[in-house]
Amino acid sequence: MIPQKNKTGYSFFTNSGNGNFELADDTLIMQGWKNLKIKKTHVMELTKISDLALNKVEVEMKYFDMFGGNELLRFAMRDSDFKAMKSTLGK
């Protein structure tokens, strides 16, 4: 039997559509309105911007793209998912 990689998933919500983040080993995979693969070490910040209705929070994520440029994503997610993802990323 082949051992499976360690995977953890978190849902996110935007005006452009919903999706999820999946953390597989050292890579954060974003699937939904935008599809990205970001190395865990390239995520600079994961910050709560504000509280939203229905136990959700607005979140801002800063990361380095594959060319070394700074990128910024804003989205909403459940507060519990935000806290778990922040802890998992160590940010």
Side-chain angles (χ1 to χ4, degrees):
M1 181 187 273
I2 299 171
Q4 292 200 352
K5 294 180 178 182
N6 182 21
K7 289 186 177 180
T8 308
Y10 310 99
S11 297
F12 69 86
F13 313 95
T14 70
N15 291 338
S16 303
N18 303 334
N20 68 325
F21 286 105
E22 191 173 281
L23 189 60
D25 293 331
D26 68 341
T27 303
L28 184 63
I29 302 164
M30 180 183 188
Q31 296 176 331
W33 65 277
K34 196 171 196 176
N35 296 313
L36 296 171
K37 288 185 179 181
I38 306 166
K39 287 202 168 275
K40 184 178 169 181
T41 56
H42 290 179
V43 177
M44 295 180 287
E45 289 181 27
L46 187 67
T47 308
K48 176 176 142 179
I49 302 301
S50 64
D51 290 315
L52 302 172
L54 303 173
N55 202 26
K56 293 180 182 153
V57 294
E58 184 179 8
V59 178
E60 188 173 85
M61 183 172 75
K62 294 179 184 176
Y63 67 96
F64 292 114
D65 64 15
M66 60 191 282
F67 302 108
N70 294 330
E71 297 289 334
L72 178 69
L73 291 174
R74 280 189 127 171
F75 49 89
M77 61 190 321
R78 291 179 192 92
D79 188 44
S80 58
D81 280 354
F82 165 71
K83 290 175 183 173
M85 186 170 155
K86 187 170 179 78
S87 175
T88 301
L89 290 172
K91 304 296 170 192

